[in-house]
Amino acid sequence: MRKTLDFLYDSAAALAALFMVGLLVAVLLSIVGRQLHFNIPGLDAYAGYLMAGAGFLALAHTLKRGEHIRVTLLLGRLHHGPRRWLERWATGAAALLAVLFAVYSVRLAWQSHAYNDISTGNDATPLWLPQLSMAVGALIFAIAALDEFLIEWRGRPIKPETAEALRHE
């Protein structure tokens, strides 16, 4: 199961990287278009969609690598027992919020598809398409948050480098 989950997180990160490359291409096309006096309608909107998709798809991978910002001022001052309970509470709250965010993101994309919602720009893109990357990213992030919650409740060992980082933050 661990290999499957890690593959899911890594795949989402790879897709986020592809979105970033697409964003780079869109921005470069926009710059070249201005210099050569041609315009690709909706290119700015697509760049925004790619940026949002990259951000959401990278959430789970970032969480699993321990790169999300954490406020450890209180955590670093607690002893092992209270620290463990605070970590459990924090990962539980994060998992709950991530699941709620995923549910409503999927619901938004579904409703946009059902109501044939389109962007107001001249590209008239069906909004469920860019919202799909947000929904998928939020769903994978919710899985990663639940994964972290379960790892914490099973008694994740406190690594020496984590304890050291707590002292220096």
Side-chain angles (χ1 to χ4, degrees):
M1 185 68 159
R2 172 62 36 216
K3 285 184 180 183
T4 303
L5 289 173
D6 287 341
F7 178 75
L8 176 66
Y9 308 141
D10 291 342
S11 298
L15 193 55
L18 283 175
F19 275 49
M20 289 297 289
V21 170
L23 173 62
L24 172 67
V25 169
V27 169
L28 289 176
L29 271 174
S30 179
I31 292 169
V32 169
R34 267 186 249 122
Q35 296 300 317
L36 300 178
H37 306 292
F38 70 87
N39 181 34
I40 300 174
L43 195 57
D44 292 339
Y46 293 124
Y49 300 153
L50 290 166
M51 187 184 315
F56 282 100
L57 288 167
L59 284 173
H61 189 266
T62 306
L63 175 69
K64 295 306 286 182
R65 297 293 179 265
E67 298 297 327
H68 280 218
I69 296 172
R70 294 180 44 147
V71 179
T72 56
L73 183 65
L74 176 62
L75 196 62
R77 301 201 187 294
L78 295 176
H79 294 291
H80 182 72
R83 182 185 321 160
R84 171 85 59 204
W85 283 104
L86 185 58
E87 284 280 359
R88 287 176 176 173
W89 179 86
T91 56
L96 176 65
L97 291 171
V99 167
L100 288 171
F101 184 57
V103 166
Y104 285 103
S105 295
V106 169
R107 184 176 164 193
L108 175 68
W110 183 266
Q111 287 176 341
S112 290
H113 182 268
Y115 297 134
N116 295 318
D117 222 1
I118 60 170
S119 70
T120 57
N122 58 358
D123 60 325
T125 302
L127 285 179
W128 68 270
L129 289 170
Q131 289 170 352
L132 189 60
S133 63
M134 178 183 75
V136 169
L139 191 60
I140 296 171
F141 178 63
I143 292 168
L146 288 169
D147 184 20
E148 282 294 304
F149 178 67
L150 291 174
I151 288 171
E152 194 61 48
W153 270 94
R154 287 184 181 150
R156 172 198 326 245
I158 295 178
K159 301 173 195 159
E161 62 269 12
T162 304
E164 182 69 20
L166 286 174
R167 282 194 291 276
H168 294 295
E169 284 187 7

